[in-house]
């Protein structure tokens, strides 16, 4: 036992702050860290995990069916569907497919992918040596053809598999033909636009010579004009003889 005022007690009193904490807690047990100081993650509730969009042929067909239903609804312009149109289509998609919960951007991304696949296959099937399998709706050809196609369209290799199918090709063609934006897979005409001849107005006929007038008249009018001209000539000749 250390007596009050003893040198040993004074020596303990002059010890480091850690000694004071130890004296204040004789048991030597560390106090539980304050929640504010703890670096442990809160476990109050699990965060909402974003569902990965796993698509299958049935879901893809459902989406394309909805796109067809809304293509003439006024929500679609030259640059695609409006935001309001997408909101309605996403809602309709979830009503028909209650077991999935995709975000608007996930459904929009799928529509973009389907459009690219259609344009890619449409271009590929027009290549020399390519044949189109009507049952599977995919391009078939020699290894050399596929090698060339994969240089231009690297992602087309997924359709080279013997089990590959793209049954939505025709439906997507009806949906996108005429609405495709300029792009890598778009087929455009390089012929210069032809200028149409201006329609001749009636008041312009007076400025034409006789040959041009004849070209404008149909056969009946031309016959009538010739008969009138011959009759006038006969009258002139007859009048000359009487004189």
């Amino acid at each position: 036992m250390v007596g009050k005022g003893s040198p040993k007690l004074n020596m303990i009193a002059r010890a480091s702050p850690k000694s004071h904490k130890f004296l204040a807690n004789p048991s030597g047990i560390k106090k539980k860290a304050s929640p504010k100081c703890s670096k442990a993650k809160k476990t109050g509730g699990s965060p909402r995990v974003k569902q990965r969009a796993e698509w299958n042929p049935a879901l893809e067909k459902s989406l394309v069916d909805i796109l067809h239903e809304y293509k003439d609804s006024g929500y679609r312009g030259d640059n695609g569907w409006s935001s309001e149109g997408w909101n309605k289509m996403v809602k309709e998609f979830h009503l028909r497919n209650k077991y999935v919960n995709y975000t608007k951007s996930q459904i929009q991304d799928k529509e973009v992918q389907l459009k690219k696949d259609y344009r890619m296959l449409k271009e590929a099937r027009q290549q020399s040596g390519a044949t189109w399998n009507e049952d599977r709706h995919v391009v078939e050809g020699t290894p050399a053809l596929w090698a060339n196609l994969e240089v231009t369209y690297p992602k087309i290799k997924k359709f080279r598999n013997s089990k590959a199918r793209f049954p939505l090709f025709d439906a997507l063609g009806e949906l996108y033909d005429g609405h495709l934006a300029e792009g890598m897979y778009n087929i455009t005409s390089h012929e210069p636009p032809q200028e149409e001849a201006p329609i001749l107005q009636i008041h312009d006929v007076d400025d034409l010579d006789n040959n041009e007038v004849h070209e404008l008249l149909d056969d009946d009018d031309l016959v009538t004009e010739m008969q009138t001209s011959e009759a006038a000539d006969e009258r002139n000749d007859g009048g000359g003889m009487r004189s």
Side-chain angles (χ1 to χ4, degrees):
M1 183 174 179
V2 181
K4 184 178 181 181
S6 65
K8 189 174 183 180
L9 182 61
N10 293 335
M11 182 178 64
I12 295 175
R14 290 192 299 270
S16 63
K18 293 182 180 181
S19 301
H20 292 283
K21 292 181 180 180
F22 182 80
L23 292 174
N25 185 14
S27 62
I29 301 175
K30 294 183 179 180
K31 292 184 179 181
K32 187 176 181 180
S34 170
K36 295 182 179 180
C37 300
S38 176
K39 295 182 181 180
K41 294 182 179 179
K42 295 182 180 180
T43 58
S46 59
R48 185 177 180 181
V49 180
K50 183 178 179 181
Q51 181 183 2
R52 183 180 179 183
E54 296 287 350
W55 292 86
N56 57 44
L59 290 174
E60 292 177 348
K61 184 179 184 303
S62 178
L63 174 58
V64 174
D65 289 343
I66 294 173
L67 293 173
H68 265 281
E69 294 171 11
Y70 278 82
K71 69 177 181 178
D72 299 322
S73 61
Y75 295 110
R76 186 188 186 195
D78 294 336
N79 297 323
W81 281 270
S82 64
S83 179
E84 182 180 359
W86 269 115
N87 292 336
K88 291 180 178 294
M89 290 190 292
V90 169
K91 182 178 180 180
E92 182 64 28
F93 179 82
H94 287 129
L95 288 175
R96 300 184 188 185
N97 306 280
K98 299 182 183 297
Y99 62 94
V100 296
N101 185 25
Y102 298 159
T103 65
K104 177 180 177 180
S105 62
Q106 286 175 327
I107 296 177
Q108 288 175 320
D109 290 344
K110 187 61 180 179
E111 186 264 341
V112 171
Q113 178 193 333
L114 289 173
K115 182 191 296 185
K116 289 182 178 180
D117 287 345
Y118 165 73
R119 296 161 86 177
M120 179 172 60
L121 288 175
K122 179 181 178 181
E123 181 83 359
R125 65 181 290 184
Q126 297 181 5
Q127 303 301 313
S128 177
T131 58
W132 182 250
N133 188 313
E134 289 291 348
D135 295 330
R136 295 166 49 219
H137 288 89
V138 291
V139 173
E140 294 180 345
T142 63
L145 171 68
W146 277 104
N148 290 333
L149 288 175
E150 291 178 12
V151 171
T152 308
Y153 319 111
K155 293 185 178 181
I156 202 172
K157 64 177 63 177
K158 64 182 178 181
F159 293 112
R160 189 175 182 177
N161 190 307
S162 60
K163 297 181 180 180
R165 295 177 57 86
F166 195 70
L168 296 174
F169 183 87
D170 293 335
L172 292 170
E174 296 175 4
L175 185 65
Y176 295 125
D177 281 347
H179 292 274
L180 295 179
E182 296 294 333
M184 178 178 179
Y185 306 129
N186 190 33
I187 302 175
T188 57
S189 174
H190 298 287
E191 296 181 1
Q194 298 180 356
E195 297 182 0
E196 296 182 357
I199 299 176
L200 185 65
Q201 302 296 326
I202 295 178
H203 60 75
D204 294 332
V205 176
D206 295 336
D207 298 331
L208 301 176
D209 57 27
N210 291 333
N211 293 332
E212 292 174 320
V213 171
H214 290 169
E215 292 176 358
L216 295 173
L217 299 175
D218 57 24
D219 294 340
D220 293 337
D221 292 336
L222 185 57
V223 171
T224 303
E225 182 196 18
M226 292 175 63
Q227 292 174 346
T228 303
S229 177
E230 290 175 355
D233 292 341
E234 291 178 357
R235 287 196 299 271
N236 292 334
D237 293 342
M241 292 175 62
R242 285 194 297 270
S243 60

